[in-house]
Amino acid sequence: MLPISRGVARYAPTVYDRGMKLFLDTANVDQVKEVAAWGVLDGVTTNPSLVLKEGHDFKKTVLAMCKHVPCVSAQVTATDFAGMKKQGEEYASWHKNVYVKVPMTTEGLKALHYFRSKGIRTNTTLIFSAAQALLAAKAGANIISPFIGRLDDIGEDGMGLIAEIMEIWHQYDFDCEVLVASTRHPVHIVKAATLGAHICTIPYEIFKKLPLHPLTDIGLQKFLKDWQGVKK
Ligand code: G3P
């Protein structure tokens, strides 16, 4: 691959660097279709709470999402290694775009290690410390998901954790992407990109805010109004 400077394909204008991946944090297929049509969506993260909220069949939901994005996280609900292995293997058999989401526990670490050896891709959920991030990456996770909003909720510094994890990641060559999860507002997304996080997952209500700016609306109205006065 030809070299790409940050954000600018200097030597090869046809190489398309899309920067930080944007995922939708949802179990709603219509939301995935809508945002995927913008050309900016790289994946989806689901979790049992989001699936409960939508109330639809889990497998059908995951398979429908796999038609629109190359990465869909499906979370195991077993808490022991044997159960995670069984559930994860089943999920992975559904579609090549499925990433098995595994909780950050010692049983989860065993499962991450096993899935890596089998070529089943994983996302580690419920990461709240740099030590947990390090262990999950070492065990073989393809993605780790630190939950920044939930840390902020209890008075800790969620984005500070991302900065710490990215600093560790810069020292090594982990084949493991850092996914900023539990985002609460657009500033979280911009800050995640500033820190060089690989992926950010975003709830639908926040994703819809990202393209908006009042000056864009005001400016467009003026352009359209002035165009009416242009002699054709
Ligand atoms: O998908 C996991 C994560 O993003 C959950 O976010 O808002 O429930 O803390 P939240």
mmCIF file of all heavy atoms in Angstrom, residues 25 45-47 50 101 125 147 150 181-184 201, ligand 1:
data_model
loop_
_atom_site.group_PDB
_atom_site.id
_atom_site.type_symbol
_atom_site.label_atom_id
_atom_site.label_comp_id
_atom_site.label_asym_id
_atom_site.label_seq_id
_atom_site.Cartn_x
_atom_site.Cartn_y
_atom_site.Cartn_z
ATOM 1 N N ASP A 25 -24.590 2.555 17.711
ATOM 2 C CA ASP A 25 -24.841 1.760 18.912
ATOM 3 C C ASP A 25 -26.356 1.540 18.987
ATOM 4 O O ASP A 25 -27.084 2.372 19.534
ATOM 5 C CB ASP A 25 -24.340 2.554 20.130
ATOM 6 C CG ASP A 25 -24.081 1.671 21.340
ATOM 7 O OD1 ASP A 25 -23.911 0.453 21.168
ATOM 8 O OD2 ASP A 25 -24.020 2.214 22.460
ATOM 9 N N THR A 45 -22.770 -1.724 16.924
ATOM 10 C CA THR A 45 -22.619 -2.458 18.184
ATOM 11 C C THR A 45 -24.012 -2.651 18.779
ATOM 12 O O THR A 45 -24.784 -1.698 18.879
ATOM 13 C CB THR A 45 -21.731 -1.694 19.186
ATOM 14 O OG1 THR A 45 -22.143 -0.320 19.249
ATOM 15 C CG2 THR A 45 -20.269 -1.759 18.799
ATOM 16 N N THR A 46 -24.318 -3.889 19.133
ATOM 17 C CA THR A 46 -25.566 -4.152 19.848
ATOM 18 C C THR A 46 -25.189 -4.641 21.243
ATOM 19 O O THR A 46 -24.036 -5.020 21.480
ATOM 20 C CB THR A 46 -26.398 -5.253 19.159
ATOM 21 O OG1 THR A 46 -25.658 -6.469 19.189
ATOM 22 C CG2 THR A 46 -26.717 -4.895 17.731
ATOM 23 N N ASN A 47 -26.148 -4.614 22.137
ATOM 24 C CA ASN A 47 -25.951 -5.251 23.449
ATOM 25 C C ASN A 47 -27.320 -5.715 23.937
ATOM 26 O O ASN A 47 -28.349 -5.328 23.361
ATOM 27 C CB ASN A 47 -25.231 -4.307 24.433
ATOM 28 C CG ASN A 47 -26.037 -3.070 24.778
ATOM 29 O OD1 ASN A 47 -27.251 -3.134 24.957
ATOM 30 N ND2 ASN A 47 -25.374 -1.921 24.872
ATOM 31 N N LEU A 50 -29.990 -2.983 24.389
ATOM 32 C CA LEU A 50 -30.499 -2.393 23.140
ATOM 33 C C LEU A 50 -31.455 -3.363 22.441
ATOM 34 O O LEU A 50 -32.476 -2.941 21.882
ATOM 35 C CB LEU A 50 -29.332 -2.041 22.204
ATOM 36 C CG LEU A 50 -28.403 -0.912 22.678
ATOM 37 C CD1 LEU A 50 -27.145 -0.837 21.812
ATOM 38 C CD2 LEU A 50 -29.130 0.440 22.657
ATOM 39 N N LYS A 101 -19.189 -10.410 20.834
ATOM 40 C CA LYS A 101 -18.913 -9.464 21.919
ATOM 41 C C LYS A 101 -18.830 -10.242 23.228
ATOM 42 O O LYS A 101 -19.762 -10.969 23.595
ATOM 43 C CB LYS A 101 -20.024 -8.425 21.977
ATOM 44 C CG LYS A 101 -19.612 -7.073 22.511
ATOM 45 C CD LYS A 101 -20.830 -6.172 22.530
ATOM 46 C CE LYS A 101 -20.483 -4.721 22.551
ATOM 47 N NZ LYS A 101 -21.677 -3.893 22.768
ATOM 48 N N THR A 125 -16.327 -6.107 25.693
ATOM 49 C CA THR A 125 -17.188 -5.054 26.231
ATOM 50 C C THR A 125 -16.943 -4.847 27.727
ATOM 51 O O THR A 125 -16.301 -5.674 28.384
ATOM 52 C CB THR A 125 -18.674 -5.389 25.941
ATOM 53 O OG1 THR A 125 -19.469 -4.251 26.238
ATOM 54 C CG2 THR A 125 -19.170 -6.588 26.747
ATOM 55 N N PHE A 147 -15.916 2.032 28.099
ATOM 56 C CA PHE A 147 -17.202 2.749 28.232
ATOM 57 C C PHE A 147 -16.948 4.103 28.890
ATOM 58 O O PHE A 147 -16.925 4.209 30.119
ATOM 59 C CB PHE A 147 -18.146 1.935 29.125
ATOM 60 C CG PHE A 147 -18.885 0.827 28.423
ATOM 61 C CD1 PHE A 147 -18.343 0.149 27.346
ATOM 62 C CD2 PHE A 147 -20.152 0.460 28.862
ATOM 63 C CE1 PHE A 147 -19.036 -0.879 26.719
ATOM 64 C CE2 PHE A 147 -20.853 -0.569 28.237
ATOM 65 C CZ PHE A 147 -20.297 -1.231 27.173
ATOM 66 N N ARG A 150 -20.115 5.968 31.046
ATOM 67 C CA ARG A 150 -20.427 5.404 32.369
ATOM 68 C C ARG A 150 -19.362 5.786 33.392
ATOM 69 O O ARG A 150 -19.656 5.859 34.591
ATOM 70 C CB ARG A 150 -20.585 3.883 32.278
ATOM 71 C CG ARG A 150 -21.814 3.489 31.468
ATOM 72 C CD ARG A 150 -22.157 2.044 31.598
ATOM 73 N NE ARG A 150 -23.116 1.670 30.558
ATOM 74 C CZ ARG A 150 -23.666 0.473 30.434
ATOM 75 N NH1 ARG A 150 -23.353 -0.478 31.289
ATOM 76 N NH2 ARG A 150 -24.516 0.217 29.460
ATOM 77 N N ALA A 181 -16.772 3.606 23.466
ATOM 78 C CA ALA A 181 -18.197 3.272 23.637
ATOM 79 C C ALA A 181 -18.811 4.099 24.749
ATOM 80 O O ALA A 181 -18.108 4.768 25.502
ATOM 81 C CB ALA A 181 -18.335 1.787 23.957
ATOM 82 N N SER A 182 -20.152 4.040 24.817
ATOM 83 C CA SER A 182 -20.903 4.770 25.836
ATOM 84 C C SER A 182 -20.696 6.283 25.651
ATOM 85 O O SER A 182 -20.468 7.004 26.611
ATOM 86 C CB SER A 182 -20.457 4.293 27.231
ATOM 87 O OG SER A 182 -21.162 4.890 28.270
ATOM 88 N N THR A 183 -20.780 6.715 24.394
ATOM 89 C CA THR A 183 -20.637 8.149 24.093
ATOM 90 C C THR A 183 -21.963 8.843 24.400
ATOM 91 O O THR A 183 -23.030 8.269 24.221
ATOM 92 C CB THR A 183 -20.238 8.376 22.620
ATOM 93 O OG1 THR A 183 -21.126 7.639 21.770
ATOM 94 C CG2 THR A 183 -18.821 7.891 22.370
ATOM 95 N N ARG A 184 -21.856 10.095 24.858
ATOM 96 C CA ARG A 184 -23.064 10.791 25.325
ATOM 97 C C ARG A 184 -23.394 12.061 24.522
ATOM 98 O O ARG A 184 -24.492 12.567 24.616
ATOM 99 C CB ARG A 184 -22.879 11.196 26.792
ATOM 100 C CG ARG A 184 -22.675 10.050 27.758
ATOM 101 C CD ARG A 184 -23.994 9.548 28.295
ATOM 102 N NE ARG A 184 -23.801 8.669 29.433
ATOM 103 C CZ ARG A 184 -23.791 7.335 29.344
ATOM 104 N NH1 ARG A 184 -23.955 6.749 28.170
ATOM 105 N NH2 ARG A 184 -23.628 6.598 30.423
ATOM 106 N N THR A 201 -18.391 4.264 18.746
ATOM 107 C CA THR A 201 -19.779 3.849 18.549
ATOM 108 C C THR A 201 -20.702 4.902 19.141
ATOM 109 O O THR A 201 -20.423 5.452 20.217
ATOM 110 C CB THR A 201 -20.062 2.438 19.105
ATOM 111 O OG1 THR A 201 -21.322 2.003 18.582
ATOM 112 C CG2 THR A 201 -20.071 2.357 20.617
HETATM 113 O O1 G3P B 1 -22.795 -0.575 23.404
HETATM 114 C C1 G3P B 1 -22.228 -0.346 24.625
HETATM 115 C C2 G3P B 1 -22.226 1.073 25.143
HETATM 116 O O2 G3P B 1 -22.053 1.979 24.117
HETATM 117 C C3 G3P B 1 -23.370 1.384 26.087
HETATM 118 O O3 G3P B 1 -23.572 2.750 26.295
HETATM 119 O O4 G3P B 1 -25.013 4.590 27.081
HETATM 120 O O5 G3P B 1 -25.465 2.272 27.893
HETATM 121 O O6 G3P B 1 -23.467 3.516 28.681
HETATM 122 P P1 G3P B 1 -24.409 3.298 27.563
#
